[in-house]
Amino acid sequence: MESFDVVYKIFVVLLLYTIHCSKSQQKETVVLTALTNLNETHGTSGLSVVSAQWLAIQEINANPDLLPGIEIVLQKRDAEGDARHAFLHALDVVHAEDTDNATHVHFPIILGCPWSSLSSLTSPALGAFENGQISAGATSIALSNKQNHPYFFRTIPSDGLQAQGIILLCQRFNWTKIAVAYVNDAYGLYLSIGIVELSLQYNIDAKAVAFSRGSAVSIKNAVDQIKKLDAWIIVLIVHDSDSLSLFNSFDAVGLTEYPYFYLGVDAWFDTNRIQSSGIENFSMGYIGTVPWQTDAMSLDRYTTDLQPIINQSMHIHSRMLRTWDAYWNNGDDTTHELLLKTPSSTAIYGYDAMYVLAHTLQQYLDDGHALSEVANSIEILRDIIVGNRRPFTGASGFVTFDENGDRSQGLYAFGNSDADGNVNFFGYFYPDATTGNLTLSVDWDAIVWPPMFTDRNISPRSWILTHDTIVDISPRVLIPMFFFSILSMLIVAFFALTTIHYRDHKIMKAGSWRVNLFMCFGCFCAYLSMIIYGIDEQWVA
């Protein structure tokens, strides 16, 4: 009986130990919310971003060195391209935190909206309840205002940098008069303001004209106003959904013909958006600013100080693409949550946004804070992010933030659209870490202008082209003129000498030989003047 009690006690101890081990090995669940556009009718950027974020989560959950013992779960919410839906979803996210229990915790920073017009509403709503968001596509300058958006972060550079790039192009090509056609939302309004304000500093005459998104009447009115401005260089700030109708309106009044030229921005000026919108014929030869892409230029195009970072980003980006292809080609909807076969230009920024939150949570835990309290720790999380306590190199370069939560030293690129709508990069720029001045590396000779300019052997201009040329006489005219002038001078000289020789003859006296000599002198001077007039000033110089 005693031996049975001993065996029973040992069995109970082993059972309790097994239960303890299983509990200690059980991962805690952290729920992350992605609020984006999940329908292709609202563009592919939201689909690409959330797919890249899901991909990053798979890597993080499988990484034993990053958030061990924690499993991240992604919840997707569809903003449907509508500010009201996005706002309501943001409030639902705040309410969901109140239901946290022992099995899962909601992270207080969501993977936010891809559009500035949506983020400008969701960010204050989340901030009012001490929640935040990190965006991979919202670039509006207004989102840098920390009074209105205290917990907004982004991995894509803001439009403040894009505006500097547009003005840099104007300076390079001496475009001193421009028009800015912009969509009247949080994205277009503040980007146009940034461009106009910078243009004043550099003596560039800039006039801005607004139009409403999706409104044919508003677009037509804006086009009519732009035509009256008589500006040949036009900065076009439009979402890809309106780009075709806007170009058709420009074309109807002759604003796509010589000498008009357009500068593109990130909302429509990339390969996927140009081709999907069907504006290849319009955009051919145009240039613009584009968020930097990892595989757009070869490594040797970068400066030596950037090459180690870019090289690492290229490897990360290549791994991301390989994993993406592996999931897409070897699985189905039950084995992956990718929403696109091919990632768009915003995918790398969504991918890095997920890693920002993972590194931030890891630092939060390393500092000794409890995971159960993370939902109420937005200030601590913000300090970790803007304090750059966990910087890393991601698919979009070296990821750091400034005090406003904007991407610090993020790269932007210059692109040139070809006949097929492919945007080819010909340079990049980024703000210097200490001075804030732009550092750039550009191959200006790589630009291929539209045929209407190359056929005339000129580049786009903001003013009438004036040629200064020295016109000289054709040799076919000059040589005969010189010949007959010299011959005439010899004849005059002959008659003058003959008159002098026979001056005492009574006939010569009667004809006033002195008057004849004076006339010969005048003829000689006239013929000499013709010779001098035919001499090219460049010969004398």
Side-chain angles (χ1 to χ4, degrees):
M1 189 67 179
E2 292 180 0
S3 61
F4 175 79
D5 290 340
V6 172
V7 172
Y8 177 77
K9 290 178 181 179
I10 293 175
F11 172 77
V12 172
V13 170
L14 290 174
L15 180 62
L16 292 174
Y17 178 76
T18 302
I19 294 173
H20 172 74
C21 289
S22 63
K23 286 186 176 180
S24 63
Q25 293 176 0
Q26 184 179 2
K27 287 188 173 183
E28 298 181 86
T29 301
V30 174
V31 178
L32 276 172
T33 300
L35 178 54
T36 188
N37 297 322
L38 296 177
N39 194 306
E40 204 163 349
T41 58
H42 303 117
T44 59
S45 60
L47 301 176
S48 186
V49 164
V50 75
S51 296
Q53 289 164 347
W54 177 85
L55 199 66
I57 287 175
Q58 309 316 302
E59 296 178 357
I60 294 167
N61 286 340
N63 188 348
D65 299 322
L66 184 60
L67 298 179
I70 292 177
E71 181 178 10
I72 298 175
V73 175
L74 183 66
Q75 287 186 350
K76 296 187 287 289
R77 293 174 178 263
D78 189 2
E80 301 180 32
D82 182 81
R84 184 176 64 87
H85 281 94
F87 181 79
L88 293 176
H89 279 307
L91 296 180
D92 286 343
V93 170
V94 173
H95 174 72
E97 292 182 4
D98 297 334
T99 64
D100 284 355
N101 53 49
T103 62
H104 66 268
V105 174
H106 277 82
F107 198 71
I109 301 176
I110 72 169
L111 296 160
C113 302
W115 293 354
S116 299
S117 56
L118 302 182
S119 293
S120 61
L121 286 178
T122 59
S123 177
L126 292 166
F129 296 95
E130 295 189 339
N131 280 252
Q133 74 175 55
I134 183 167
S135 176
T139 57
S140 173
I141 299 172
L143 294 167
S144 298
N145 186 332
K146 288 301 103 178
Q147 290 185 342
N148 298 331
H149 309 278
Y151 308 119
F152 178 83
F153 316 95
R154 51 185 159 199
T155 50
I156 193 169
S158 80
D159 285 334
L161 182 58
Q162 183 168 207
Q164 293 181 63
I166 293 293
I167 296 300
L168 193 151
L169 291 174
C170 293
Q171 288 181 284
R172 167 68 187 183
F173 298 108
N174 196 28
W175 294 331
T176 55
K177 183 179 181 180
I178 63 174
V180 182
Y182 69 93
V183 58
N184 193 14
D185 60 14
Y187 165 74
L189 173 62
Y190 287 96
L191 177 53
S192 67
I193 291 174
I195 293 173
V196 172
E197 287 180 346
L198 283 174
S199 68
L200 294 174
Q201 300 178 24
Y202 295 99
N203 297 319
I204 297 172
D205 181 13
K207 298 291 190 299
V209 177
F211 61 89
S212 299
R213 185 173 188 174
S215 172
V217 174
S218 178
I219 288 175
K220 183 181 182 302
N221 292 336
V223 169
D224 291 339
Q225 292 182 56
I226 291 171
K227 186 173 184 179
K228 294 177 182 178
L229 293 177
D230 198 28
W232 299 339
I233 306 298
I234 302 172
V235 182
L236 190 56
I237 306 173
V238 58
H239 296 293
D240 54 336
S241 56
D242 284 333
S243 59
L244 180 58
S245 60
L246 192 60
F247 271 117
N248 283 333
S249 297
F250 280 131
D251 189 51
V253 296
L255 295 188
T256 58
E257 302 171 0
Y258 177 85
Y260 293 96
F261 183 79
Y262 291 84
L263 293 177
V265 296
D266 63 336
W268 67 274
F269 196 71
D270 68 44
T271 300
N272 288 339
R273 290 187 175 101
I274 289 175
Q275 293 177 347
S276 62
S277 300
I279 57 173
E280 299 95 326
N281 293 335
F282 292 116
S283 66
M284 180 172 56
Y286 294 160
I287 61 176
T289 50
V290 200
W292 179 79
Q293 294 299 301
T294 319
D295 57 353
M297 294 185 293
S298 59
L299 187 61
D300 58 5
R301 293 280 301 275
Y302 296 92
T303 56
T304 53
D305 58 327
L306 273 181
Q307 284 185 3
I309 295 174
I310 302 302
N311 186 45
Q312 187 175 352
S313 292
M314 286 180 171
H315 286 296
I316 295 171
H317 180 251
S318 178
R319 183 188 69 200
M320 184 191 84
L321 293 181
R322 288 196 306 271
T323 308
W324 193 300
D325 289 339
Y327 273 112
W328 185 270
N329 295 324
N330 300 321
D332 52 37
D333 293 343
T334 62
T335 58
H336 69 75
E337 296 182 25
L338 300 180
L339 304 176
L340 290 173
K341 180 180 179 180
T342 304
S344 69
S345 59
T346 52
I348 58 174
Y349 298 100
Y351 182 84
D352 285 349
M354 184 59 244
Y355 268 98
V356 168
L357 298 188
H359 283 291
T360 300
L361 179 56
Q362 183 65 67
Q363 186 62 50
Y364 173 86
L365 298 174
D366 290 347
D367 290 343
H369 300 291
L371 179 62
S372 59
E373 296 297 322
V374 71
N376 302 315
S377 305
I378 187 66
E379 286 290 344
I380 298 174
L381 298 174
R382 181 187 185 280
D383 291 342
I384 293 173
I385 293 175
V386 300
N388 295 310
R389 297 186 59 194
R390 297 278 296 206
F392 64 95
T393 299
S396 64
F398 192 60
V399 183
T400 57
F401 298 86
D402 64 17
E403 60 183 8
N404 293 325
D406 290 333
R407 179 72 176 265
S408 175
Q409 302 180 64
L411 292 167
Y412 239 92
F414 292 123
N416 181 204
S417 178
D418 64 18
D420 297 321
N422 297 305
V423 176
N424 304 307
F425 286 22
F426 61 89
Y428 64 90
F429 60 99
Y430 63 94
D432 185 83
T434 54
T435 65
N437 297 327
L438 288 188
T439 299
L440 69 156
S441 176
V442 185
D443 181 9
W444 301 111
D445 294 332
I447 299 175
V448 179
W449 300 112
M452 58 184 172
F453 291 98
T454 56
D455 291 346
R456 294 173 170 83
N457 197 29
I458 61 174
S459 60
R461 298 175 58 87
S462 59
W463 296 100
I464 295 175
L465 178 61
T466 303
H467 293 283
D468 295 325
T469 58
I470 299 175
V471 180
D472 56 0
I473 300 175
S474 170
R476 295 181 179 180
V477 178
L478 183 64
I479 293 174
M481 188 186 75
F482 275 13
F483 174 77
F484 287 111
S485 295
I486 294 172
L487 180 62
S488 299
M489 292 170 68
L490 293 175
I491 294 173
V492 168
F494 172 76
F495 278 110
L497 293 174
T498 303
T499 300
I500 294 173
H501 181 71
Y502 293 104
R503 65 182 179 277
D504 293 332
H505 194 279
K506 59 181 181 180
I507 295 177
M508 295 298 295
K509 288 181 178 181
S512 182
W513 63 272
R514 291 182 177 85
V515 174
N516 290 339
L517 285 178
F518 187 77
M519 291 173 63
C520 287
F521 178 75
C523 290
F524 187 89
C525 290
Y527 296 136
L528 181 62
S529 298
M530 291 180 66
I531 293 174
I532 295 174
Y533 182 77
I535 297 175
D536 196 322
E537 292 89 341
Q538 299 179 78
W539 301 350
V540 178

